[in-house]
């Protein structure tokens, strides 16, 4: 036993027990929990019976369905709750709404938070990769094709639309382009809050859109390398050689570091694997 470990007082132990009891009650009474009636309806309405009976998609309360006449396909070994729609964590507002007239492909571990508005047109395809997270109150409009890569995070109140809803003609050349063009978001992207992703946007893997209210509207893959930062209106390259830390264990280690230190954390690449630090669970504490 560690001689320096603090000893809990009886009063503290009682308070801890009471706190756990009330925390359990609060979670049971939390109004944004899974709605089993909506979950069963969504699964049976959207996918073949052999898939639907496994309830791979959990639907949370405050989620509405404008139409589920389209198809939903789940990629990965089927299990209960592998995809979650309408979940609330902190700042979600209003109801989530799904209008699927086309096809939605969801991979294992997708989470779509509360208040998101999702429309997929009759000819549309929306594909969201494994482990991707769509944060609260995002708007996704897929009339043609929107693909969001694996482990990508789309932050609060971001808009993705592959359709301008109107045509524009060049008065000098007479050329009038299509109002629709696919949006292809790479893997492990982080899209900052309130960004606007317009038709024709293509991003490489491992980029960060760091500035809120950024506007993306073109193919960035020819000029922007992975591990870059974009931002601005319109978005431009701000910096290279930067990578988002998705590993929750590493995030926790960083929080602990800055809670007690005033000097920067520096990872030694000679002894620690950058890939493991950013994506995978570390073998040991990063110090």
């Amino acid at each position: 036993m560690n001689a320096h470990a603090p000893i809990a007082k009886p009063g503290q132990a009682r308070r801890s027990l009471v706190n756990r009891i009330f925390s359990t009650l609060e979670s049971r009474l939390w109004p944004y929990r899974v709605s089993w009636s909506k979950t069963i309806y969504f699964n049976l309405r959207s996918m073949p019976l052999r898939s639907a009976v496994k309830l791979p998609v959990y639907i949370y309360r405050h989620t509405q369905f404008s139409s589920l006449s389209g198809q939903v396909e789940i990629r990965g070994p089927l299990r209960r709750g592998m995809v979650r729609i309408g979940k609330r964590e902190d700042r979600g507002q209003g109801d989530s709404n799904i209008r699927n007239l086309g096809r939605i492909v969801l991979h294992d571990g997708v989470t779509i938070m509360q208040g998101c508005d999702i429309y997929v047109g009759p000819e549309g395809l929306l594909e969201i990769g494994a482990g991707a997270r769509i944060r609260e109150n995002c708007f996704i409009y897929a009339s043609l094709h929107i693909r969001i890569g694996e482990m990508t995070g789309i932050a609060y109140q971001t808009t993705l639309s592959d359709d301008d809803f109107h045509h524009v003609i060049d008065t000098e050349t007479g050329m009038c382009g299509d109002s629709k063009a696919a949006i292809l978001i790479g893997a492990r992207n982080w899209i900052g809050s309130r960004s606007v992703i317009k038709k024709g946007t293509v991003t490489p893997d491992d980029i960060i859109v760091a500035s809120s209210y950024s506007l993306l509207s073109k193919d960035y893959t020819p000029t922007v390398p992975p591990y870059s930062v974009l931002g601005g209106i319109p978005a431009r390259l701000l910096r290279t050689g930067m990578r988002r830390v998705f590993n929750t264990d590493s995030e926790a280690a960083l929080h602990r570091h800055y809670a007690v230190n005033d000097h920067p954390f520096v990872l030694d690449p000679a002894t620690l694997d950058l890939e493991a630090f950013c994506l995978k669970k570390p073998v040991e504490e990063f110090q």
Side-chain angles (χ1 to χ4, degrees):
M1 181 175 178
N2 186 353
H4 301 287
I7 299 175
K9 297 179 181 179
Q12 291 176 329
R14 285 195 296 272
R15 285 196 296 272
S16 177
L17 175 61
V18 170
N19 186 52
R20 288 199 300 272
I21 292 172
F22 276 97
S23 294
T24 301
L25 288 173
E26 289 162 355
S27 66
R28 297 289 183 184
L29 297 173
W30 180 245
Y32 297 98
R33 297 175 64 219
V34 172
S35 167
W36 293 112
S37 60
K38 292 181 179 181
T39 292
I40 293 169
Y41 179 77
F42 179 89
N43 284 271
L44 291 175
R45 179 79 169 93
S46 302
M47 60 191 76
L49 181 62
R50 64 181 179 276
S51 300
V53 294
K54 296 184 178 181
L55 301 182
V57 180
Y58 279 0
I59 302 295
Y60 286 71
R61 300 177 188 180
H62 298 279
T63 300
Q64 308 298 327
F65 310 128
S66 296
S67 176
L68 296 178
S69 60
Q71 298 177 332
V72 174
E73 179 182 345
I74 306 297
R75 299 275 179 87
L78 290 181
R79 58 182 175 81
R80 288 181 59 178
M82 60 190 290
V83 172
R84 298 176 182 248
I85 298 176
K87 185 178 180 181
R88 179 189 173 106
E89 283 188 358
D90 38 37
R91 53 182 173 178
Q93 299 176 8
D95 291 345
S96 305
N97 185 63
I98 301 173
R99 181 173 176 81
N100 179 23
L101 308 176
R103 183 165 166 248
I104 299 176
V105 177
L106 301 170
H107 294 245
D108 191 9
V110 167
T111 301
I112 300 173
M113 306 299 286
Q114 183 201 353
C116 291
D117 199 333
I118 297 174
Y119 170 86
V120 182
E123 306 299 324
L125 168 62
L126 171 62
E127 181 175 4
I128 305 179
R133 289 173 65 85
I134 314 299
R135 296 294 303 191
E136 296 88 347
N137 296 102
C138 289
F139 174 70
I140 300 177
Y141 190 99
S143 62
L144 182 64
H145 183 197
I146 294 179
R147 186 185 71 208
I148 298 170
E150 65 177 29
M151 291 188 67
T152 284
I154 308 293
Y156 181 70
Q157 289 187 343
T158 289
T159 294
L160 297 91
S161 177
D162 64 3
D163 194 338
D164 281 342
F165 309 107
H166 57 265
H167 291 84
V168 175
I169 191 168
D170 188 314
T171 58
E172 294 184 1
T173 66
M175 185 179 73
C176 189
D178 196 342
S179 67
K180 303 176 184 179
I183 293 174
L184 307 175
I185 304 299
R188 299 172 300 278
N189 279 204
W190 178 259
I191 310 296
S193 60
R194 298 185 177 92
S195 294
V196 176
I197 314 296
K198 294 178 67 65
K199 69 171 189 178
T201 296
V202 183
T203 64
D205 295 343
D206 298 292
I207 70 156
I208 299 170
V209 178
S211 176
S212 295
Y213 302 101
S214 292
L215 173 65
L216 283 70
S217 59
K218 65 179 184 179
D219 184 353
Y220 295 89
T221 56
T223 57
V224 175
Y227 313 127
S228 294
V229 179
L230 296 173
I233 304 175
R236 59 185 178 86
L237 179 63
L238 300 179
R239 187 169 176 180
T240 59
M242 302 297 290
R243 187 170 183 178
R244 175 74 156 83
V245 177
F246 288 98
N247 186 337
T248 55
D249 288 346
S250 299
E251 284 278 354
L254 289 167
H255 285 301
R256 287 192 294 272
H257 171 85
Y258 284 107
V260 297
N261 294 287
D262 57 5
H263 61 272
F265 175 92
V266 179
L267 178 69
D268 183 0
T271 57
L272 294 174
D273 184 3
L274 185 63
E275 189 77 7
F277 184 80
C278 291
L279 296 179
K280 303 171 186 176
K281 287 189 176 181
V283 182
E284 56 185 305
E285 183 80 5
F286 295 109
Q287 294 293 350

